[in-house]
């Protein structure tokens, strides 16, 4: 895990989402949820694009040994929930290789294995039907779409109980800086209301509404 990924992993998806809103960036993955609410992931994307199988039978791919430790496997199965592109053996290998987790625009299967190994999977759910001979790999490490969000190789994905957000690599430093500012302001507000302050006064005191508004171009 590189230092930027490590730093971003300290923040929740709501904080990262607010930071990206402030910068006018999109990146929330609609409909992608953790298989278990305590799953958390943060890592750089290794992407796979799937398409319908052609005239010859296809497989879900033998890419897993090329993914670097700490990276997140990102599988774009175009939101299909009628067949899987991830299962038991992939979970075992990914866990052994210490990958950062798996994010699927589609479904997985053999979910108990991910619970057993505490391997984080985020998807549209679980379903038993194999993707073999139904889908095939159309591209590796190319831009893909996950829940309507664009994901490119090397972008940072952060996932927790509230879902998944994608941080574009070229904006990661700015997102991190704003996440720090938002988290600091929210902690000040929490402390203030615990000691009896009105919420509206606390928000005003710590410029909370400004931190949640889109940053004007050229503003610091």
């Amino acid at each position: 895990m590189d230092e930027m990924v490590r730093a971003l992993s300290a923040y929740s998806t709501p904080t990262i989402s607010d930071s990206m809103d402030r910068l006018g960036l999109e990146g929330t993955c609609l409909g992608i949820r953790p298989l278990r609410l305590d799953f958390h992931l943060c890592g750089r994307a290794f992407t796979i694009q799937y398409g319908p199988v052609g005239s010859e039978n296809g497989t879900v791919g033998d890419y897993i040994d090329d993914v670097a430790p700490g990276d997140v496997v990102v599988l774009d199965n175009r939101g299909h929930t009628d067949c899987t592109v991830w299962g038991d053996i992939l979970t075992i290998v990914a866990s052994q290789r210490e990958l950062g987790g798996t994010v699927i625009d589609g479904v997985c299967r053999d979910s108990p294995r991910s619970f057993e190994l505490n391997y984080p999977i985020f998807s549209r759910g679980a379903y038993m039907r194999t993707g073999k001979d139904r889908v095939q790999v159309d591209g590796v490490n190319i831009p893909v779409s996950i829940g309507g969000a664009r994901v490119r190789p090397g972008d940072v994905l952060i996932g927790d109980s509230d879902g998944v957000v994608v941080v574009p690599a070229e904006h990661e430093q700015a997102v991190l800086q704003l996440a720090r500012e938002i988290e600091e302001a929210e902690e000040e507000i929490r402390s203030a209301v615990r000691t009896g302050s009105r919420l509206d006064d606390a928000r005003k005191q710590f410029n909370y509404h400004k931190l949640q508004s889109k940053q004007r171009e050229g503003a610091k």
Side-chain angles (χ1 to χ4, degrees):
M1 183 183 292
D2 62 56
E3 287 305 310
M4 179 57 67
V5 171
R6 192 182 307 279
L8 286 168
S9 71
Y11 299 96
S12 68
T13 58
T15 298
I16 297 295
S17 178
D18 287 351
S19 177
M20 292 180 65
D21 278 348
R22 180 100 167 97
L23 294 166
L25 301 173
E26 295 293 334
T28 53
C29 300
L30 183 63
I32 310 301
R33 304 283 299 163
L35 286 187
R36 197 174 69 194
L37 286 177
D38 63 344
F39 279 162
H40 180 275
L41 64 76
C42 186
R44 296 197 181 275
F46 183 103
T47 65
I48 303 289
Q49 174 71 69
Y50 288 98
V53 72
S55 57
E56 298 181 4
N57 292 340
T59 75
V60 295
D62 294 320
Y63 56 83
I64 196 69
D65 295 299
D66 297 323
V67 185
D71 283 358
V72 173
V73 180
V74 180
L75 306 176
D76 180 0
N77 197 26
R78 305 172 189 267
H80 290 304
T81 57
D82 59 345
C83 67
T84 68
V85 290
W86 186 274
D88 172 74
I89 294 174
L90 284 168
T91 298
I92 291 171
V93 176
S95 178
Q96 288 177 338
R97 290 181 55 77
E98 299 184 341
L99 305 190
T102 298
V103 176
I104 311 168
D105 198 337
V107 291
C108 64
R109 68 179 188 176
D110 304 312
S111 49
R113 185 69 71 188
S114 71
F115 306 152
E116 173 193 332
L117 297 175
N118 198 33
Y119 180 80
I121 298 175
F122 289 69
S123 69
R124 293 188 180 276
Y127 191 61
M128 80 297 297
R129 192 184 193 205
T130 180
K132 184 178 183 297
D133 297 337
R134 295 185 172 98
V135 297
Q136 65 183 27
V137 174
D138 280 348
V140 177
N141 271 335
I142 62 172
V144 298
S145 176
I146 300 292
R150 182 177 174 85
V151 184
R152 301 162 309 166
D155 288 345
V156 178
L157 286 92
I158 300 160
D160 59 22
S161 58
D162 288 320
V164 177
V165 65
V166 183
V167 179
E170 68 270 25
H171 296 292
E172 57 192 26
Q173 185 62 59
V175 170
L176 175 62
Q177 179 58 40
L178 281 173
R180 286 172 174 156
E181 294 177 15
I182 291 168
E183 187 61 32
E184 288 171 3
E186 289 188 345
E187 187 52 42
E188 294 283 7
I189 292 167
R190 293 184 197 105
S191 296
V193 297
R194 286 181 183 128
T195 56
S197 293
R198 286 174 55 95
L199 178 58
D200 54 355
D201 289 340
R203 283 176 167 168
K204 187 180 300 181
Q205 179 183 355
F206 298 108
N207 296 314
Y208 188 66
H209 295 302
K210 179 181 177 182
L211 285 172
Q212 286 204 318
S213 300
K214 184 176 179 180
Q215 194 174 58
R216 287 178 297 176
E217 194 166 340
K220 298 290 187 181

CSV table of all heavy atoms in Angstrom, one decimal, residues 176-213:
chain,number,residue,atom,x,y,z
A,176,LEU,N,-7.6,14.3,-0.6
A,176,LEU,CA,-7.1,14.1,0.7
A,176,LEU,C,-7.0,15.3,1.6
A,176,LEU,O,-7.4,15.3,2.7
A,176,LEU,CB,-5.7,13.5,0.6
A,176,LEU,CG,-4.9,13.2,1.9
A,176,LEU,CD1,-5.7,12.2,2.8
A,176,LEU,CD2,-3.5,12.7,1.7
A,177,GLN,N,-6.6,16.4,1.0
A,177,GLN,CA,-6.5,17.7,1.8
A,177,GLN,C,-7.8,18.1,2.3
A,177,GLN,O,-8.0,18.5,3.5
A,177,GLN,CB,-5.8,18.8,1.0
A,177,GLN,CG,-5.7,20.1,1.7
A,177,GLN,CD,-4.9,20.0,3.0
A,177,GLN,OE1,-3.9,19.3,3.0
A,177,GLN,NE2,-5.4,20.7,4.0
A,178,LEU,N,-8.8,18.1,1.4
A,178,LEU,CA,-10.2,18.5,1.8
A,178,LEU,C,-10.8,17.5,2.8
A,178,LEU,O,-11.5,17.9,3.7
A,178,LEU,CB,-11.1,18.6,0.6
A,178,LEU,CG,-10.8,19.9,-0.2
A,178,LEU,CD1,-11.6,19.9,-1.5
A,178,LEU,CD2,-11.3,21.1,0.6
A,179,ALA,N,-10.5,16.2,2.6
A,179,ALA,CA,-11.0,15.2,3.5
A,179,ALA,C,-10.5,15.5,5.0
A,179,ALA,O,-11.3,15.4,5.9
A,179,ALA,CB,-10.6,13.8,3.1
A,180,ARG,N,-9.3,15.9,5.1
A,180,ARG,CA,-8.7,16.3,6.4
A,180,ARG,C,-9.4,17.4,7.0
A,180,ARG,O,-9.8,17.4,8.2
A,180,ARG,CB,-7.2,16.6,6.2
A,180,ARG,CG,-6.3,15.4,6.0
A,180,ARG,CD,-4.9,15.8,5.7
A,180,ARG,NE,-4.0,14.6,5.7
A,180,ARG,CZ,-2.9,14.6,5.0
A,180,ARG,NH1,-2.5,15.7,4.3
A,180,ARG,NH2,-2.1,13.5,5.0
A,181,GLU,N,-9.7,18.5,6.2
A,181,GLU,CA,-10.4,19.7,6.6
A,181,GLU,C,-11.8,19.4,7.1
A,181,GLU,O,-12.3,19.8,8.1
A,181,GLU,CB,-10.4,20.7,5.5
A,181,GLU,CG,-9.0,21.3,5.2
A,181,GLU,CD,-9.0,22.3,4.1
A,181,GLU,OE1,-10.1,22.8,3.7
A,181,GLU,OE2,-7.9,22.6,3.5
A,182,ILE,N,-12.5,18.6,6.3
A,182,ILE,CA,-13.9,18.2,6.6
A,182,ILE,C,-13.9,17.4,7.9
A,182,ILE,O,-14.8,17.6,8.8
A,182,ILE,CB,-14.5,17.4,5.4
A,182,ILE,CG1,-14.7,18.3,4.2
A,182,ILE,CG2,-15.8,16.8,5.9
A,182,ILE,CD1,-15.1,17.6,2.9
A,183,GLU,N,-13.0,16.4,8.0
A,183,GLU,CA,-13.0,15.6,9.2
A,183,GLU,C,-12.7,16.4,10.5
A,183,GLU,O,-13.3,16.2,11.5
A,183,GLU,CB,-12.1,14.4,9.1
A,183,GLU,CG,-12.1,13.4,10.2
A,183,GLU,CD,-13.5,12.7,10.3
A,183,GLU,OE1,-14.1,12.5,9.3
A,183,GLU,OE2,-13.8,12.3,11.4
A,184,GLU,N,-11.8,17.3,10.3
A,184,GLU,CA,-11.4,18.2,11.5
A,184,GLU,C,-12.6,19.0,11.9
A,184,GLU,O,-12.9,19.2,13.1
A,184,GLU,CB,-10.2,19.0,11.1
A,184,GLU,CG,-8.9,18.2,11.1
A,184,GLU,CD,-7.8,19.1,10.5
A,184,GLU,OE1,-8.0,20.3,10.2
A,184,GLU,OE2,-6.7,18.5,10.3
A,185,ALA,N,-13.3,19.6,10.9
A,185,ALA,CA,-14.5,20.5,11.2
A,185,ALA,C,-15.6,19.6,11.9
A,185,ALA,O,-16.2,20.1,12.8
A,185,ALA,CB,-15.0,21.1,10.0
A,186,GLU,N,-15.8,18.4,11.3
A,186,GLU,CA,-16.9,17.6,11.9
A,186,GLU,C,-16.6,17.2,13.3
A,186,GLU,O,-17.5,17.1,14.2
A,186,GLU,CB,-17.1,16.4,11.0
A,186,GLU,CG,-17.8,16.8,9.7
A,186,GLU,CD,-18.2,15.5,8.9
A,186,GLU,OE1,-17.7,14.4,9.2
A,186,GLU,OE2,-19.0,15.7,7.9
A,187,GLU,N,-15.3,16.9,13.6
A,187,GLU,CA,-14.9,16.5,15.0
A,187,GLU,C,-15.1,17.7,15.9
A,187,GLU,O,-15.6,17.5,17.1
A,187,GLU,CB,-13.5,16.0,15.0
A,187,GLU,CG,-13.1,15.4,16.3
A,187,GLU,CD,-14.0,14.4,16.9
A,187,GLU,OE1,-14.5,13.5,16.1
A,187,GLU,OE2,-14.4,14.4,18.1
A,188,GLU,N,-14.8,18.9,15.5
A,188,GLU,CA,-15.0,20.1,16.3
A,188,GLU,C,-16.5,20.3,16.6
A,188,GLU,O,-16.9,20.6,17.7
A,188,GLU,CB,-14.5,21.3,15.6
A,188,GLU,CG,-13.0,21.4,15.4
A,188,GLU,CD,-12.2,21.7,16.7
A,188,GLU,OE1,-12.9,21.9,17.7
A,188,GLU,OE2,-11.0,21.9,16.6
A,189,ILE,N,-17.4,20.0,15.5
A,189,ILE,CA,-18.8,20.2,15.7
A,189,ILE,C,-19.3,19.1,16.7
A,189,ILE,O,-20.1,19.4,17.6
A,189,ILE,CB,-19.5,20.1,14.3
A,189,ILE,CG1,-19.2,21.3,13.5
A,189,ILE,CG2,-21.0,19.9,14.5
A,189,ILE,CD1,-19.6,21.2,12.0
A,190,ARG,N,-18.8,17.9,16.5
A,190,ARG,CA,-19.3,16.8,17.5
A,190,ARG,C,-19.0,17.2,18.9
A,190,ARG,O,-19.8,17.0,19.8
A,190,ARG,CB,-18.6,15.5,17.1
A,190,ARG,CG,-19.0,14.9,15.8
A,190,ARG,CD,-18.3,13.5,15.6
A,190,ARG,NE,-18.4,13.1,14.2
A,190,ARG,CZ,-17.4,13.2,13.3
A,190,ARG,NH1,-16.2,13.5,13.7
A,190,ARG,NH2,-17.5,12.8,12.1
A,191,SER,N,-17.7,17.7,19.1
A,191,SER,CA,-17.3,18.1,20.5
A,191,SER,C,-18.2,19.2,21.0
A,191,SER,O,-18.6,19.2,22.2
A,191,SER,CB,-15.9,18.5,20.5
A,191,SER,OG,-15.0,17.4,20.1
A,192,ALA,N,-18.5,20.2,20.1
A,192,ALA,CA,-19.3,21.3,20.5
A,192,ALA,C,-20.7,20.9,21.0
A,192,ALA,O,-21.2,21.4,22.0
A,192,ALA,CB,-19.3,22.4,19.4
A,193,VAL,N,-21.4,20.1,20.2
A,193,VAL,CA,-22.8,19.7,20.5
A,193,VAL,C,-22.8,18.8,21.7
A,193,VAL,O,-23.8,18.8,22.5
A,193,VAL,CB,-23.5,19.1,19.3
A,193,VAL,CG1,-23.6,20.1,18.1
A,193,VAL,CG2,-22.8,17.8,18.8
A,194,ARG,N,-21.8,18.0,21.9
A,194,ARG,CA,-21.7,17.2,23.1
A,194,ARG,C,-21.6,18.0,24.4
A,194,ARG,O,-22.0,17.5,25.5
A,194,ARG,CB,-20.5,16.2,23.0
A,194,ARG,CG,-20.7,15.1,22.0
A,194,ARG,CD,-19.5,14.1,22.1
A,194,ARG,NE,-19.7,13.1,21.1
A,194,ARG,CZ,-18.7,12.8,20.1
A,194,ARG,NH1,-17.6,13.5,20.1
A,194,ARG,NH2,-18.9,11.8,19.3
A,195,THR,N,-21.1,19.2,24.3
A,195,THR,CA,-21.0,20.1,25.4
A,195,THR,C,-22.1,21.1,25.5
A,195,THR,O,-21.9,22.1,26.3
A,195,THR,CB,-19.6,20.7,25.5
A,195,THR,OG1,-19.4,21.5,24.3
A,195,THR,CG2,-18.5,19.7,25.6
A,196,GLY,N,-23.1,21.0,24.7
A,196,GLY,CA,-24.3,21.8,24.8
A,196,GLY,C,-24.5,22.9,23.8
A,196,GLY,O,-25.5,23.6,23.8
A,197,SER,N,-23.6,23.0,22.8
A,197,SER,CA,-23.8,24.0,21.8
A,197,SER,C,-25.0,23.7,20.8
A,197,SER,O,-25.3,22.5,20.6
A,197,SER,CB,-22.5,24.2,20.9
A,197,SER,OG,-21.5,24.7,21.7
A,198,ARG,N,-25.6,24.7,20.3
A,198,ARG,CA,-26.6,24.5,19.2
A,198,ARG,C,-25.9,24.0,18.0
A,198,ARG,O,-24.8,24.5,17.7
A,198,ARG,CB,-27.3,25.8,18.9
A,198,ARG,CG,-28.3,26.2,20.0
A,198,ARG,CD,-28.9,27.6,19.7
A,198,ARG,NE,-29.4,27.6,18.3
A,198,ARG,CZ,-30.7,27.5,18.0
A,198,ARG,NH1,-31.6,27.2,19.0
A,198,ARG,NH2,-31.2,27.5,16.8
A,199,LEU,N,-26.5,23.1,17.2
A,199,LEU,CA,-25.9,22.6,16.0
A,199,LEU,C,-25.7,23.7,15.0
A,199,LEU,O,-24.6,23.8,14.3
A,199,LEU,CB,-26.8,21.5,15.4
A,199,LEU,CG,-26.3,20.9,14.1
A,199,LEU,CD1,-24.8,20.3,14.3
A,199,LEU,CD2,-27.2,19.8,13.7
A,200,ASP,N,-26.7,24.6,14.8
A,200,ASP,CA,-26.5,25.6,13.8
A,200,ASP,C,-25.4,26.6,14.1
A,200,ASP,O,-24.6,27.0,13.3
A,200,ASP,CB,-27.8,26.4,13.6
A,200,ASP,CG,-28.4,27.0,14.8
A,200,ASP,OD1,-27.9,26.7,15.9
A,200,ASP,OD2,-29.4,27.7,14.7
A,201,ASP,N,-25.2,26.9,15.4
A,201,ASP,CA,-24.1,27.7,15.8
A,201,ASP,C,-22.7,27.0,15.6
A,201,ASP,O,-21.8,27.7,15.2
A,201,ASP,CB,-24.2,28.1,17.3
A,201,ASP,CG,-25.4,29.1,17.6
A,201,ASP,OD1,-25.8,29.7,16.6
A,201,ASP,OD2,-25.8,29.1,18.7
A,202,ALA,N,-22.7,25.7,15.9
A,202,ALA,CA,-21.4,25.0,15.8
A,202,ALA,C,-21.1,24.9,14.3
A,202,ALA,O,-19.9,25.1,13.9
A,202,ALA,CB,-21.6,23.6,16.4
A,203,ARG,N,-22.0,24.6,13.4
A,203,ARG,CA,-21.7,24.5,12.0
A,203,ARG,C,-21.2,25.9,11.5
A,203,ARG,O,-20.3,25.9,10.7
A,203,ARG,CB,-23.0,24.1,11.2
A,203,ARG,CG,-23.3,22.6,11.3
A,203,ARG,CD,-24.6,22.3,10.7
A,203,ARG,NE,-24.8,20.9,10.5
A,203,ARG,CZ,-25.9,20.3,10.1
A,203,ARG,NH1,-27.0,21.0,9.9
A,203,ARG,NH2,-25.9,19.0,10.0
A,204,LYS,N,-21.8,27.0,11.9
A,204,LYS,CA,-21.4,28.3,11.5
A,204,LYS,C,-20.0,28.6,12.0
A,204,LYS,O,-19.1,29.1,11.2
A,204,LYS,CB,-22.4,29.3,12.0
A,204,LYS,CG,-22.1,30.7,11.5
A,204,LYS,CD,-23.1,31.7,12.0
A,204,LYS,CE,-24.6,31.3,11.7
A,204,LYS,NZ,-25.5,32.3,12.2
A,205,GLN,N,-19.7,28.2,13.2
A,205,GLN,CA,-18.4,28.5,13.8
A,205,GLN,C,-17.3,27.8,13.1
A,205,GLN,O,-16.2,28.4,12.9
A,205,GLN,CB,-18.4,28.1,15.3
A,205,GLN,CG,-17.1,28.3,16.0
A,205,GLN,CD,-17.1,27.8,17.4
A,205,GLN,OE1,-18.1,27.4,18.0
A,205,GLN,NE2,-15.9,27.9,18.1
A,206,PHE,N,-17.5,26.6,12.6
A,206,PHE,CA,-16.5,25.8,12.0
A,206,PHE,C,-16.6,25.7,10.5
A,206,PHE,O,-16.0,24.9,9.8
A,206,PHE,CB,-16.4,24.4,12.6
A,206,PHE,CG,-16.1,24.5,14.1
A,206,PHE,CD1,-17.1,24.2,15.0
A,206,PHE,CD2,-14.8,24.8,14.5
A,206,PHE,CE1,-16.8,24.2,16.4
A,206,PHE,CE2,-14.5,24.9,15.9
A,206,PHE,CZ,-15.5,24.6,16.8
A,207,ASN,N,-17.4,26.7,9.9
A,207,ASN,CA,-17.5,26.8,8.4
A,207,ASN,C,-17.9,25.5,7.7
A,207,ASN,O,-17.5,25.2,6.6
A,207,ASN,CB,-16.1,27.3,7.8
A,207,ASN,CG,-15.7,28.7,8.3
A,207,ASN,OD1,-16.6,29.6,8.3
A,207,ASN,ND2,-14.5,28.8,8.7
A,208,TYR,N,-18.8,24.8,8.4
A,208,TYR,CA,-19.2,23.5,7.8
A,208,TYR,C,-19.9,23.6,6.5
A,208,TYR,O,-19.6,22.8,5.6
A,208,TYR,CB,-20.1,22.8,8.8
A,208,TYR,CG,-20.4,21.3,8.4
A,208,TYR,CD1,-19.4,20.4,8.4
A,208,TYR,CD2,-21.7,20.9,8.1
A,208,TYR,CE1,-19.6,19.1,8.1
A,208,TYR,CE2,-21.9,19.6,7.8
A,208,TYR,CZ,-20.9,18.7,7.8
A,208,TYR,OH,-21.2,17.4,7.4
A,209,HIS,N,-20.8,24.5,6.3
A,209,HIS,CA,-21.5,24.7,5.1
A,209,HIS,C,-20.6,25.0,3.9
A,209,HIS,O,-20.8,24.6,2.8
A,209,HIS,CB,-22.7,25.7,5.2
A,209,HIS,CG,-23.7,25.3,6.2
A,209,HIS,ND1,-24.4,24.1,6.0
A,209,HIS,CD2,-24.2,25.8,7.3
A,209,HIS,CE1,-25.3,24.0,7.0
A,209,HIS,NE2,-25.2,25.0,7.8
A,210,LYS,N,-19.6,25.8,4.2
A,210,LYS,CA,-18.6,26.2,3.2
A,210,LYS,C,-17.8,24.9,2.7
A,210,LYS,O,-17.6,24.7,1.5
A,210,LYS,CB,-17.6,27.2,3.7
A,210,LYS,CG,-16.6,27.6,2.7
A,210,LYS,CD,-15.6,28.6,3.3
A,210,LYS,CE,-14.5,29.0,2.3
A,210,LYS,NZ,-13.5,29.9,2.9
A,211,LEU,N,-17.5,24.0,3.7
A,211,LEU,CA,-16.8,22.8,3.3
A,211,LEU,C,-17.6,21.9,2.5
A,211,LEU,O,-17.0,21.0,1.8
A,211,LEU,CB,-16.3,22.1,4.6
A,211,LEU,CG,-15.1,22.8,5.3
A,211,LEU,CD1,-14.8,22.2,6.6
A,211,LEU,CD2,-13.8,22.8,4.4
A,212,GLN,N,-18.9,22.0,2.6
A,212,GLN,CA,-19.8,21.1,1.8
A,212,GLN,C,-20.2,21.7,0.5
A,212,GLN,O,-20.9,21.0,-0.3
A,212,GLN,CB,-21.0,20.6,2.7
A,212,GLN,CG,-20.7,19.7,3.8
A,212,GLN,CD,-21.8,18.8,4.2
A,212,GLN,OE1,-22.9,19.4,4.3
A,212,GLN,NE2,-21.6,17.5,4.4
A,213,SER,N,-19.9,22.9,0.2
A,213,SER,CA,-20.3,23.6,-1.0
A,213,SER,C,-19.2,23.4,-2.1
A,213,SER,O,-18.0,23.3,-1.7
A,213,SER,CB,-20.6,25.0,-0.8
A,213,SER,OG,-21.6,25.2,0.2
